[in-house]
Amino acid sequence: MSYAIIGFGKIGQALAHAFARKNIDVTVASRRPPEALAPQARAIGPTVVAKSLRDAVEADTIILAVPFGEHREVAKALPSWEGKTVIDAMNLFPVPEELDGLPSSAFVAKSFTGAKLVKGFNHLVAATLAADPVVEGGHRVVFLSSDDEDATAPVATLAKQLGFAPVKLGKLSEGGALVHARGRTWGQLIFQDLFKKEQ
Ligand SMILES: NC(=O)c1ccc[n+]([C@@H]2O[C@H](COP(=O)([O-])OP(=O)(O)OC[C@H]3O[C@@H](n4cnc5c(N)ncnc54)[C@H](OP(=O)(O)O)[C@@H]3O)[C@@H](O)[C@H]2O)c1
């Protein structure tokens, strides 16, 4: 399995720290050329490698860590996302009416044709996500939701490899509603920094 993080700001770097901590290879990319991201990538760890967006999207699993409004630009990097898993770590707040009542991740899924989309790693502030998720007596919880039943298991495996305790919430508009904003209200689980004894 190969991994890429698109967006190398606060959340992208927080996730890169999680990969580096466990020596798992990950590509990072943004609109800037890889040379511009390389010093920061190297500073995080040797397994974090900056590439162009075009090269980064060759990974099997792509984590979206860009501002919500940019997801359509990222989606244009490939004509088809068939065979890929896309993890949506983005939040949208407040939620505009243009989404027609869809959870923001269901709206994102429409642009990544063919991909299996999982919402995850979005409910914590960046500094918390960057911190070691293994603390005395527990593992920091991440919530995963998806409309694609098969998609969640490999992302849960990744979350465990990174030291988190994944909690599956089911479909985006069901349990997933707890990690989405609605209008001007955050989902009830957003910003809840929870720990589980067992992964
Ligand atoms: N900050 C938090 O605590 C937090 C918590 C949970 C979720 N989130 C969500 O995570 C996402 C990122 O937030 P952030 O705080 O990390 O933002 P940020 O610090 O502003 O970083 C955004 C990153 O996206 C890149 N980017 C923008 N447009 C792009 C495009 N079209 N293609 C490729 N890369 C692009 C930017 O780099 P270039 O300018 O070089 O392209 C930058 O590296 C947002 O959706 C946010 O809602 C944030």
Side-chain angles (χ1 to χ4, degrees), residues 66-83:
V66 298
F68 180 85
E70 292 293 329
H71 73 270
R72 275 179 284 224
E73 280 306 309
V74 177
K76 288 180 192 162
L78 282 178
S80 162
W81 290 80
E82 205 72 49

Side-chain angles (χ1 to χ4, degrees), residues 38-166:
Q40 183 58 23
R42 268 197 298 271
I44 293 174
T47 64
V48 182
V49 176
K51 289 192 182 167
S52 67
L53 183 62
R54 183 185 290 254
D55 288 344
V57 294
E58 285 180 10
D60 309 317
T61 299
I62 285 116
I63 307 178
L64 295 176
V66 298
F68 180 85
E70 292 293 329
H71 73 270
R72 275 179 284 224
E73 280 306 309
V74 177
K76 288 180 192 162
L78 282 178
S80 162
W81 290 80
E82 205 72 49
K84 307 271 186 193
T85 296
V86 171
I87 303 175
D88 180 8
M90 300 181 295
N91 283 322
L92 177 61
F93 188 90
V95 182
E97 286 179 5
E98 296 92 270
L99 263 55
D100 295 330
L102 280 178
S104 63
S105 290
F107 191 81
V108 170
K110 292 205 290 184
S111 297
F112 290 83
T113 325
K116 291 170 185 277
L117 186 133
V118 178
K119 187 171 190 71
F121 300 98
N122 67 297
H123 86 286
L124 297 167
V125 294
T128 306
L129 188 64
D132 191 343
V134 185
V135 297
E136 202 181 324
H139 296 260
R140 177 168 279 119
V141 167
V142 288
F143 298 107
L144 305 178
S145 51
S146 178
D147 288 342
D148 192 323
E149 273 181 28
D150 306 335
T152 316
V155 179
T157 302
L158 168 66
K160 284 185 185 177
Q161 285 168 348
L162 296 176
F164 293 93

